[in-house]
Amino acid sequence: MGVNNRPVEELDTLVIRRAYYVLGISITGLSLIMLNWLGLSSIMFNVMPIKRIVLSAVYYIIPMATAMTGFAITQIPAAFLLSRIGNRVSMFLGLLLNGISLILSPTGSYHMALFLRFLAGMGLGLYLIPSLLLILGWWSIRGLTRWVQVAYLSSITILIPLSSLLTMGMTRSMAIYLGVASLVLAILILFTARDAVIIRRISMVTVMNNPDVLMLSIAFSIPWGVYLSLFPLVMQLGNYLSVVELTIPIAITPLLYRFRHSVKTRKHASLLYLTIGLGALVALMGVGNTWEFVLALVGFVFTLILLLILYVVNDIVSPILIAQSTSYLLTVSSIIGSIISIITGYSIQYLGTLGWIVIGILVAVSSILYRILRITL
């Protein structure tokens, strides 16, 4: 009786509705988390009830680096501990931490504010991959796994510039409202979202033992750390055009993904030369009045590097390990990247123009890792 006696057509309709519901609610949760992790971490001092003061570069970057650290150290433990319980539990915990972080963000304590940035990172770490696996579980029933992967990638890349723009005008009360919305959505996901086909018991050790993914993560970590450290620096200028220039290119990643086959035999050289080019552009940011002009190129070149990284991961691992491999790559890259972002802040603060040149050289030198580590491309 009940569901098992329903016509096939009705069951098919219910599956489709559930799949769309899971997709919509998952992207809504990701939007709230990205607004907090990326956006609010870039303007932490703007929502704190403190006197407006001029801070050095490193103080603006530290909140973003702290959020990266929380994100990095949470993903792998979450995969080990929560894969057997179900994806919705991990998503619930991620949104719960995100809501707490947002509601308490208007604090006057600097150390408390940094702790809340760490919680924001943990929220993203708990939410990102489980939400993707939850979506894939429902859409794989329809044989649309590839389409949903692109859709989810599109939502992430579009949310990066959108989060940056929305947080430019974020107030303390808005942060609290968003936190309440995150808590409500967490409860909604816990009681209404259900796992369908879950990829369980895939050992993270299998992914971690893949030397190609590890080597690719290390090589990508320096561009990743430098790029994210630019967000707080740019957003503190209050210049919407600068924010758009840095972030809008990444929104076209899904479009560029369609042309990935054109670089099939040139991935190694492309990553090498693009990373060198990114280093040269970063070095130019400290020269004269080239900041705004170079930002657009920095955003575009980084987008191409990210696209190639995602394509290489897709190329070197089994399709069943894509989500876990991407999670592992971002974990390693964010751990090293958070350190790189702090180095970026100190270099700019104490060396000025020379600091930009030093960081640019560091990015360019990281391109050598693609050859030294002999990544299978």
Side-chain angles (χ1 to χ4, degrees):
M1 296 182 66
V3 175
N4 292 332
N5 292 330
R6 292 180 180 179
V8 174
E9 293 80 4
E10 185 177 350
L11 286 173
D12 192 55
T13 301
L14 290 173
V15 169
I16 293 175
R17 288 178 180 175
R18 175 63 65 172
Y20 274 112
Y21 173 75
V22 167
L23 180 63
I25 200 171
S26 297
I27 292 178
T28 301
L30 182 64
S31 303
L32 290 171
I33 290 179
M34 288 296 288
L35 277 169
N36 188 18
W37 182 76
L38 181 61
L40 198 57
S41 295
S42 301
I43 59 165
M44 184 186 80
F45 296 102
N46 291 5
V47 297
M48 294 178 66
I50 57 176
K51 294 181 179 180
R52 295 302 300 272
I53 56 177
V54 178
L55 299 173
S56 56
V58 68
Y59 280 100
Y60 286 126
I61 291 177
I62 284 177
M64 189 70 246
T66 305
M68 289 172 65
T69 303
F71 167 64
I73 70 171
T74 307
Q75 288 196 92
I76 293 179
F80 279 116
L81 297 175
L82 300 172
S83 61
R84 295 172 181 267
I85 302 176
N87 298 309
R88 64 190 178 91
V89 176
S90 182
M91 293 168 65
F92 164 76
L93 293 175
L95 284 169
L96 182 65
L97 293 181
N98 185 68
I100 294 172
S101 174
L102 280 167
I103 291 173
L104 299 180
S105 58
T107 176
S109 169
Y110 174 70
H111 295 96
M112 180 63 177
L114 287 184
F115 174 69
L116 295 174
R117 294 303 89 218
F118 185 80
L119 287 186
M122 291 183 66
L124 180 62
L126 287 167
Y127 187 90
L128 184 61
I129 298 303
S131 62
L132 175 59
L133 292 176
L134 179 72
I135 294 171
L136 292 179
W138 282 97
W139 284 92
S140 62
I141 297 175
R142 301 291 302 170
L144 296 174
T145 302
R146 176 69 64 182
W147 178 86
V148 170
Q149 284 179 324
V150 174
Y152 201 71
L153 171 63
S154 301
S155 67
I156 294 173
T157 54
I158 291 172
L159 282 172
I160 289 177
L162 187 61
S163 299
S164 301
L165 290 173
L166 290 177
T167 48
M168 293 291 288
M170 182 175 289
T171 61
R172 298 170 193 170
S173 58
M174 187 183 301
I176 295 174
Y177 293 143
L178 290 173
V180 173
S182 184
L183 296 180
V184 171
L185 190 63
I187 296 173
L188 192 63
I189 285 178
L190 182 63
F191 289 103
T192 65
R194 291 290 183 271
D195 292 308
V197 179
I198 311 173
I199 304 175
R200 292 186 179 181
R201 297 182 178 86
I202 294 177
S203 175
M204 281 297 294
V205 176
T206 303
V207 177
M208 295 169 68
N209 285 338
N210 188 325
D212 289 338
V213 178
L214 175 61
M215 295 171 184
L216 198 65
S217 305
I218 295 172
F220 179 63
S221 61
I222 296 179
W224 177 239
V226 172
Y227 180 75
L228 287 181
S229 68
L230 293 177
F231 277 85
L233 295 177
V234 170
M235 294 184 71
Q236 294 304 323
L237 297 175
N239 188 332
Y240 286 86
L241 179 61
S242 297
V243 176
V244 170
E245 287 177 332
L246 179 64
T247 60
I248 203 65
I250 206 167
I252 65 175
T253 302
L255 177 62
L256 294 175
Y257 187 77
R258 294 187 59 185
F259 303 99
R260 62 192 184 278
H261 297 296
S262 63
V263 295
K264 184 166 184 172
T265 60
R266 301 189 294 274
K267 294 189 293 294
H268 188 285
S270 298
L271 278 171
L272 180 70
Y273 295 132
L274 284 171
T275 306
I276 293 174
L278 181 63
L281 291 172
V282 171
L284 282 175
M285 291 184 66
V287 179
N289 297 317
T290 60
W291 178 288
E292 291 190 0
F293 172 74
V294 174
L295 274 178
L297 294 176
V298 167
F300 182 72
V301 173
F302 177 80
T303 297
L304 294 178
I305 293 173
L306 175 62
L307 174 69
L308 282 172
I309 292 292
L310 294 175
Y311 180 35
V312 170
V313 172
N314 184 74
D315 200 35
I316 64 178
V317 303
S318 167
I320 200 174
L321 295 174
I322 291 296
Q324 289 82 357
S325 298
T326 303
S327 174
Y328 181 57
L329 181 141
L330 290 176
T331 296
V332 176
S333 296
S334 295
I335 291 173
I336 302 175
S338 61
I339 299 173
I340 296 298
S341 65
I342 296 297
I343 294 174
T344 300
Y346 276 109
S347 298
I348 296 171
Q349 177 178 333
Y350 293 108
L351 300 178
T353 299
L354 180 60
W356 285 108
I357 296 174
V358 169
I359 296 302
I361 292 174
L362 181 62
V363 173
V365 169
S366 71
S367 66
I368 300 175
L369 294 174
Y370 294 115
R371 289 193 180 277
I372 293 178
L373 297 176
R374 302 181 183 279
I375 299 173
T376 304
L377 299 178

